[in-house]
């Protein structure tokens, strides 16, 4: 049997396999939850439908998200297992550019996982990691999962919270608390995507670096300009455009018949 490392050089979907390997490795290291592997599979399915490229309408959401984070008085980035495994460096860079706090917040909470994620973030350059152990001493009302536990110096007092790979209940609860919630989720139909103030419908692998680039570009903009970007942003439109994009893409593919397997069939 061919070793995975060899397959990675020749496989047509090598990048996708590399990401899977990274998640499996981090599952074994106690960073990613077992359910995180399943959640990634759901994400991959939507990425296939989207075309594995950032959609035009998503760039609008990325711009609005950068503008919201740069305008925020107290922005916080919520980090879970999958995002720590996949984009730790970009999370730390984003925190630096937008002057945001980083907080570990898990659906499947355990002190071991919190510490493992903290170590990864620190290795990526984070100087402060909130929400670990006793530090997560506050609770978000109306959330029954472990995600309700937050740091009083972090998510509890934040005005803007970035939540990559979130669940719908907490997104809704954070909105009810008056916070601006920025979600990153490949599924435009998920409750998180629907409830967030700004939904970046994209793979965290692409969305995080794009968000860092946008924040770097915009960090010296006038506050007035940043406000204008945010006030003109319409999340309903972004969600509708993503669904239209999938719909159109599938219709075109259905008309053409086979697409990606064409070469294989003739060779
Ligand atoms: O690390 P923990 O303990 O917080 O647990 C993490 C998971 C992901 C298991 C937990 O947050 C969970 O159960 O999430 P859900 O409710 O399954 O939601 C995950 C969402 O993220 C789904 O809508 C997926 O489509 C989406 N998703 C998965 N992988 C990616 C993604 N979105 C963007 N980029 C991805 N790579």
């Amino acid at each position: 049997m061919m070793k995975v490392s060899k397959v990675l050089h020749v496989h047509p979907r090598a990048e996708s396999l590399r990401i899977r390997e990274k998640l499996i490795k981090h599952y074994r290291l106690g960073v990613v939850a077992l359910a995180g592997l399943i959640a990634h599979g759901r994400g991959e399915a939507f990425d296939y439908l989207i075309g594995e490229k950032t959609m035009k309408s998503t760039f609008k959401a990325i711009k609005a998200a950068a503008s919201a984070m740069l305008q925020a008085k107290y922005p916080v980035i919520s980090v879970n297992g999958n995002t720590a495994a996949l984009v730790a460096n970009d999370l730390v860079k984003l925190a630096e550019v937008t002057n945001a706090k980083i907080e570990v917040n898990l659906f499947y909470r355990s002190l071991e996982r919190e510490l493992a994620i903290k170590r990864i973030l620190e290795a990526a350059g984070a100087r402060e990691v909130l929400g670990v152990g006793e530090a997560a001493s506050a609770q978000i009302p109306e959330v029954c999962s472990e995600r309700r536990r937050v740091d009083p110096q972090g998510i509890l007092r934040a005005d803007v919270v970035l939540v990559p790979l979130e669940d719908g209940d907490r997104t809704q609860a954070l909105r009810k608390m008056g916070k601006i919630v920025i979600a990153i989720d490949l599924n435009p139909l998920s409750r998180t995507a629907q409830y967030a103030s700004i939904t970046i419908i994209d793979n965290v692998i692409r969305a995080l670096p794009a968000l860092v680039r946008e924040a770097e570009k915009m960090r010296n903009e006038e506050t007035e300009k940043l406000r204008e970007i945010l006030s003109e942003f319409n999340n309903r439109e972004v969600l509708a455009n993503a669904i239209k994009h999938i719909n159109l893409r599938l219709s075109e593919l259905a008309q053409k018949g086979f697409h990606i397997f064409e070469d294989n069939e003739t060779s």
Side-chain angles (χ1 to χ4, degrees), residues 96-110:
E96 273 168 22
V97 180
T98 60
N99 209 7
K101 301 277 181 196
I102 297 179
E103 175 166 345
V104 176
N105 184 275
L106 306 177
F107 190 84
Y108 299 98
R109 203 177 249 282
S110 75

Side-chain angles (χ1 to χ4, degrees), residues 31-33 35-37 39-44 46 80-82 86 105-109 113 117 147 165-168 184-187 190 192 202-205:
V31 170
V32 171
L37 302 178
H40 182 74
R42 187 193 290 170
E44 274 186 342
F46 277 97
N80 76 339
N82 290 45
L86 296 178
N105 184 275
L106 306 177
F107 190 84
Y108 299 98
R109 203 177 249 282
R113 285 193 66 219
I117 291 168
R147 277 219 194 263
L165 272 77
E166 183 63 33
D167 64 81
I184 304 176
D185 194 328
L186 275 160
N187 177 4
S190 78
T192 301
D202 204 5
N203 198 320
V204 286
I205 299 273

Side-chain angles (χ1 to χ4, degrees), residues 35-232:
L37 302 178
I38 301 170
H40 182 74
R42 187 193 290 170
E44 274 186 342
F46 277 97
D47 213 6
Y48 239 93
L49 299 179
I50 284 165
E52 295 175 307
K53 267 203 326 224
T54 304
M55 293 175 285
K56 244 193 191 162
S57 55
T58 295
F59 284 112
K60 276 192 187 170
I62 291 173
K63 212 168 170 184
S67 140
M69 290 188 78
L70 288 167
Q71 278 177 76
K73 287 200 177 72
Y74 206 86
V76 175
I77 302 171
S78 176
V79 180
N80 76 339
N82 290 45
T83 44
L86 296 178
V87 283
N89 287 330
D90 293 303
L91 290 167
V92 174
K93 249 190 253 164
L94 183 66
E96 273 168 22
V97 180
T98 60
N99 209 7
K101 301 277 181 196
I102 297 179
E103 175 166 345
V104 176
N105 184 275
L106 306 177
F107 190 84
Y108 299 98
R109 203 177 249 282
S110 75
L111 186 58
E112 290 73 30
R113 285 193 66 219
E114 291 164 39
L115 291 170
I117 291 168
K118 182 176 184 230
R119 277 196 295 276
I120 285 199
L121 292 167
E122 283 173 345
R127 269 165 279 148
E128 186 186 26
V129 178
L130 303 172
V132 177
E134 297 301 313
S137 59
Q139 296 208 357
I140 299 175
E142 294 176 42
V143 176
C144 50
S145 76
E146 280 296 285
R147 277 219 194 263
R148 72 183 181 280
R149 289 174 48 192
V150 290
D151 195 317
Q153 294 312 315
I155 291 169
L156 190 73
R157 60 179 283 208
D159 52 348
V160 174
V161 192
L162 172 68
V163 292
L165 272 77
E166 183 63 33
D167 64 81
D169 288 348
R170 197 171 73 131
T171 305
Q172 206 176 7
L174 291 171
R175 288 293 311 270
K176 273 195 192 162
M177 291 169 84
K179 300 178 194 298
I180 292 182
V181 180
I182 304 165
I184 304 176
D185 194 328
L186 275 160
N187 177 4
L189 306 171
S190 78
R191 287 184 313 132
T192 301
Q194 302 274 328
Y195 288 138
S197 325
I198 300 171
T199 310
I200 299 173
I201 304 162
D202 204 5
N203 198 320
V204 286
I205 299 273
R206 296 186 298 268
L208 250 304
L211 191 48
V212 172
R213 280 195 299 274
E214 201 56 53
E216 276 170 341
K217 254 200 284 174
M218 286 166 71
R219 73 201 296 188
N220 296 321
E221 286 285 7
E222 301 283 329
T223 318
E224 204 42 51
K225 174 78 187 155
L226 295 178
R227 274 206 204 114
E228 198 182 298
I229 292 170
L230 203 54
S231 68
E232 281 172 5

